[in-house]
Amino acid sequence: MNQHTENQPSATPDFLPIMGTDYIQLYVSNALQTAHFYQTAFGFQPLAKAGLETGNQAEASYVLQQDKIRLVITSPLQADSDIGRHIDVHGDGVRVIALWVEDAQKAWEETTARGAKSFLEPQQLQDESGVVIRSGIHTYGDTVHVFIERKNYQGVFLPGYEAWQPQYQPAAVGLKYIDHIVGNVGWNEMNTWVKFYAEVMGFSQLVSFDDEDISTDYTALMSKVMSNGNGRIKFPINEPAEGKKKSQIEEYLDFYNGSGVQHIAVATDDIVGTVQALVSRGIEFLQVPGSYYDDLQNRVGNIEEDLEQLRELGILVDRDDEGYLLQIFTKPVTPRPTLFFEIIQRKGARSFGKGNFKALFEAIEREQSKRGTL
Ligand code: TYF
Ligand code: FE
């Protein structure tokens, strides 16, 4: 087994304190309809919007919220825009992982001084509800991190946005917070990005898996998990490895045309209820064979959930030294096999479901073979 945990004593104070994920911004071709999908299918609530009606001629954005999770769904309103080019190259996908920081000026200074490429110099946004400071740096592919400092801001989201309260407000499905956000990076880029999160952002490596751990017949990949000081931000990074046929990571890179966000893992404290609600709203999940459940009890011991219910829904279970976790993966939410969601419930476990990798990756391979991309 090649999994190892690295204990990193924090001798030096955190130069980049992060309180959590502020929002995730997707660039999509029809933000109005994508926002409807996240409301209807995923139970997000409308929070704020910006666009022509707020004086923005360049782009329209819809902000959705479910508990601590905020999504910003953005489309261009004009030809020849950076947003339009992002969509043309990548399809709909994640452009911004915004991090809630104490000091956005310092976050930018500390990271750019350590080698980050600036995306946005610190700027002050102001309206009658207060002040937000924002800055940003580039990370893998065309993905960026925006630092958001909102110490005294009382508005709905950010200056430039107005409250969005349509009549239509489907119920939430129990999604609570972002557990982790996974990036797929290109061949031989793993070390670059592990080094970036370690040296530029002060993160440490939690675990790593190599292709010995996680190759099935076809899928081969390497994965390392980077985490910030307080553990609220966890960024696993995947790199493809040579296998018998095309790695799922390589398939992603081909369709996304480069590195980018592969999956967003969202936490629930009732995975059975959440998944039932998602299924009833049309979300499709990867399915594992029934035999997965035959030896589940032997593998994970006693769990509180009803095994039959887990089998019916296709929820996976894994155990580590600290407890267990339940997880399930959606099919891609875009026409390209790129972005998908993970629903996760942690019951003590702090790992990522290594015991499920084989069953999960075989399920992904069945989808790849339907697509003819294996
Ligand atoms: O985030 C993780 O590490 C798990 C497992 O392509 C995983 O969710 C790893 C790679 C992958 C899909 C899921
Ligand atoms: Fe995950």
Side-chain angles (χ1 to χ4, degrees):
M1 193 167 79
N2 299 292
Q3 179 177 351
H4 51 95
T5 303
E6 271 143 50
N7 280 326
Q8 209 104 354
S10 50
T12 47
D14 195 350
F15 63 81
L16 181 58
I18 304 172
M19 281 89 85
T21 308
D22 197 282
Y23 63 85
I24 294 175
Q25 184 170 27
L26 293 101
Y27 281 176
V28 305
S29 62
N30 188 333
L32 184 69
Q33 290 182 6
T34 299
H36 190 285
F37 168 80
Y38 283 105
Q39 289 175 78
T40 303
F42 276 94
F44 282 85
Q45 311 298 309
L47 179 71
K49 63 177 179 174
L52 296 176
E53 291 159 36
T54 60
N56 192 332
Q57 309 273 317
E59 57 194 76
S61 293
Y62 300 86
V63 187
L64 302 165
Q65 183 161 30
Q66 190 163 180
D67 205 322
K68 294 194 170 68
I69 311 162
R70 273 199 297 247
L71 299 180
V72 181
I73 316 290
T74 299
S75 291
L77 295 173
Q78 310 290 340
D80 294 330
S81 67
D82 287 343
I83 304 170
R85 274 183 290 277
H86 192 277
I87 297 165
D88 185 38
V89 173
H90 304 297
D92 291 2
V94 173
R95 166 62 163 172
V96 180
I97 300 171
L99 303 169
W100 178 32
V101 297
E102 281 169 13
D103 187 334
Q105 167 91 34
K106 182 164 181 281
W108 184 86
E109 283 168 2
E110 296 280 1
T111 52
T112 54
R114 287 170 170 81
K117 185 175 157 218
S118 175
F119 164 65
L120 181 68
E121 291 193 11
Q123 58 173 207
Q124 191 165 307
L125 307 172
Q126 190 159 5
D127 66 12
E128 65 286 351
S129 303
V131 176
V132 171
I133 320 270
R134 179 165 75 169
S135 63
I137 58 172
H138 289 269
T139 178
Y140 49 77
D142 280 332
T143 317
V144 298
H145 288 308
V146 168
F147 301 117
I148 302 280
E149 172 188 344
R150 41 172 84 254
K151 273 190 178 122
N152 299 307
Y153 191 67
Q154 302 296 319
V156 276
F157 178 55
L158 290 174
Y161 286 78
E162 64 179 26
W164 179 32
Q165 297 163 308
Q167 290 259 301
Y168 180 67
Q169 302 208 351
V173 300
L175 303 177
K176 299 280 182 196
Y177 60 88
I178 306 237
D179 187 275
H180 58 276
I181 303 171
V182 182
N184 283 344
V185 301
W187 294 93
N188 303 315
E189 282 187 34
M190 171 70 86
N191 285 344
T192 304
W193 296 108
V194 164
K195 203 162 165 254
F196 170 86
Y197 282 105
E199 292 178 5
V200 172
M201 305 214 20
F203 286 25
S204 47
Q205 189 177 322
L206 286 184
V207 281
S208 86
F209 309 99
D210 65 19
D211 53 334
E212 300 272 295
D213 289 311
I214 49 183
S215 52
T216 61
D217 269 0
Y218 302 136
T219 282
L221 61 89
M222 192 157 61
S223 181
K224 294 186 177 179
V225 182
M226 304 304 290
S227 168
N228 81 319
N230 61 19
R232 290 189 204 175
I233 306 295
K234 287 176 290 226
F235 291 154
I237 299 167
N238 298 328
E239 183 192 288
E242 225 41 91
K244 288 196 188 140
K245 287 199 181 169
K246 185 182 276 195
S247 163
Q248 50 154 317
I249 309 305
E250 193 181 355
E251 183 197 27
Y252 174 102
L253 297 170
D254 287 351
F255 280 95
Y256 201 73
N257 284 301
S259 306
V261 170
Q262 177 214 38
H263 75 266
I264 301 169
V266 288
T268 169
D269 51 27
D270 171 20
I271 196 164
V272 169
T274 295
V275 173
Q276 280 171 337
L278 290 168
V279 169
S280 78
R281 291 155 179 237
I283 293 299
E284 293 185 10
F285 292 96
L286 293 176
Q287 292 302 321
V288 294
S291 56
Y292 171 91
Y293 295 91
D294 297 343
D295 61 46
L296 186 62
Q297 178 97 51
N298 288 334
R299 194 161 64 75
V300 301
N302 280 335
I303 57 171
E304 288 168 325
E305 292 71 18
D306 173 18
L307 255 181
E308 275 320 299
Q309 226 168 10
L310 299 182
R311 184 201 294 266
E312 233 167 73
L313 295 166
I315 295 167
L316 310 176
V317 191
D318 195 28
R319 188 177 276 285
D320 66 19
D321 318 341
E322 295 171 285
Y324 68 99
L325 63 82
L326 304 113
Q327 63 187 169
I328 188 168
F329 298 84
T330 71
K331 292 183 179 176
V333 294
T334 50
R336 302 185 196 196
T338 51
L339 178 67
F340 61 88
F341 283 81
E342 171 182 355
I343 313 298
I344 184 167
Q345 183 176 9
R346 296 186 179 278
K347 295 202 153 174
R350 286 197 285 176
S351 48
F352 291 82
K354 175 170 150 31
N356 291 326
F357 284 0
K358 190 168 192 307
L360 168 65
F361 295 163
E362 285 170 354
I364 293 174
E365 285 160 17
R366 284 190 291 277
E367 298 297 314
Q368 279 184 276
S369 87
K370 289 187 213 165
R371 295 190 279 262
T373 54
L374 253 189

